[in-house]
Amino acid sequence: MTLCDPALDFRDFVSTLLERKDAVRIGTEVSPHLEAAAITRRVYDTRSPAPLFENLTGAAPGFRLLGAPAGLSGPGTEFGRVAAHIGLAPTATARDIVEHLVRAMHAEPIAPRVVDKGAVQENIRTGADVDLEQFPVPLLHQQDGGRYFGTYGYHIVQTPDGSWTSWSISRSMLHSRNTLVGPAMPQQHLGMIHRMWQERGRPTPWAFVAGAPPASLVAAGMPLPEHINEDGYVGALAGRPVDVVRAQTNDLYVPANAEIVLEGYISPDETAPEGPMGEYHGYQFDDPREQPVFHVEAITHRNDPILPFCVAGVPPEENHTIWGTMISAVALDVLRSNGLPIDMAWCSYEAATCWIVLSVDLDELRRNPTTQSELVDAVAGVLFSSHVGWLVPKILLVANDLDVTDITDVAWALATRHHPATGTYRFDDAPGIPLVPYLSADDRAAGRGGKAIVSCLQPTQLAGVTSGSTANFDNAFPDAVRERVLRNWSSYGFDS
């Protein structure tokens, strides 16, 4: 009997969600043209179970879609789907997940295990039989420039000398029956390796994985340093190696039990318009851009394949729950490794990965007092010079007497502890991702600007002391009173 392994097998991941009632089978006929996406957006808004669409208009029999694979769930298991990606219990907290990711970053990498065959090659189509239209590729927003095949998968590319294999997330839009088009920004690992092949005048050997082992999707979303192979990090996350099998048409290795794998190459010079698309920051701009063309020479897939998808937009969705969480873990590790007094980092999902909140350790400040400007400069020097710091434009500093994973605490700190005249520090020369919506055209052209650190620290907290006490349930009543209230809560007539 094969054990269920939701971190390393997407099919097991879906089964686990169904068993937990955190996914629901939808047998009613649903159109991939906007309807599936509309249902999924409503799922995000209501924190409902992930929809598994099993009866899709125009799709080949058995072909399925899964929406909101890492959407938030209900109270007590909010992060359950994210936790399932890395083998944690559905009750795992934000801190549990981030600390697990950080530990894995320092664990010995476990290299993939090469196998002769895998479920992903149950069906193989090459050459003239390649047809991406066989899949129920969804139209996600009515303003989108096309249908997006790749919103919850990752690209696999390797440097020409074979020394670095990158698994990285980037979207891809359907261009024709055998081509996709999508971004490969030069600051991203996909773009770095693509440029190496371009400089040799050669196409980039490429594969795309959909319905990947969930832990590998997490690893692909981590802003790890360049020249680090994500495939070994997958093993460190899951505690076991991920099985890989050689691709049909090139020398890349792909997850053996993935749902779908596309194989081919990225053209060294061919581009086509991509977008517009509703973005992770919650806006859509009418500006399709020329992007590289990805040629598909082979498709392999499991029987009854499941294509997972994310409907990007106003948070929370997977850009925030997966990408934002991975950014949090890497940022925390970078800051800790440099000796800064930070005990947690969290990209508030509600802020659309446009800020990261750093929890400042008051005990450490009590031992080693500092000034606000010294702390800000130290944080900026470490974070804004790193790859992970390139991704997030704003940093909020909040003392650890509050919970930085609780947006209510963060809002309260911003409102009551941030001094508008002395608490905002601009870093106009710091490099940053050009997708931030408030950037000017000049900012985007320069690749800099729009970066800031906002201090929500009381002046006394820089010496480790909080002024005043918090007037809330935990602090404003004696232990005996709080215990009696909790013990009698149901008898008062409230839901327990």
Side-chain angles (χ1 to χ4, degrees), residues 354 392-394 427-430 436 438-439 443 448-452:
C354 287
V392 184
K394 297 174 186 172
F427 292 85
D428 294 336
D429 290 331
V436 176
Y438 60 73
L439 293 178
D443 292 334
R448 297 176 183 277
K451 310 279 275 196

Side-chain angles (χ1 to χ4, degrees), residues 357-370:
V357 190
L358 305 184
S359 176
V360 182
D361 189 336
L362 290 175
D363 289 339
E364 183 61 32
L365 291 185
R366 196 173 298 118
R367 289 188 291 269
N368 297 289
T370 187

Side-chain angles (χ1 to χ4, degrees), residues 401-402 412 416-417 458 460-461 465-477:
D401 64 318
L402 302 180
W412 185 57
T416 64
R417 298 183 179 182
Q458 298 173 334
T460 58
Q461 287 178 326
V465 178
T466 299
S467 297
S469 61
T470 305
N472 63 4
F473 181 78
D474 289 336
N475 291 295
F477 305 96

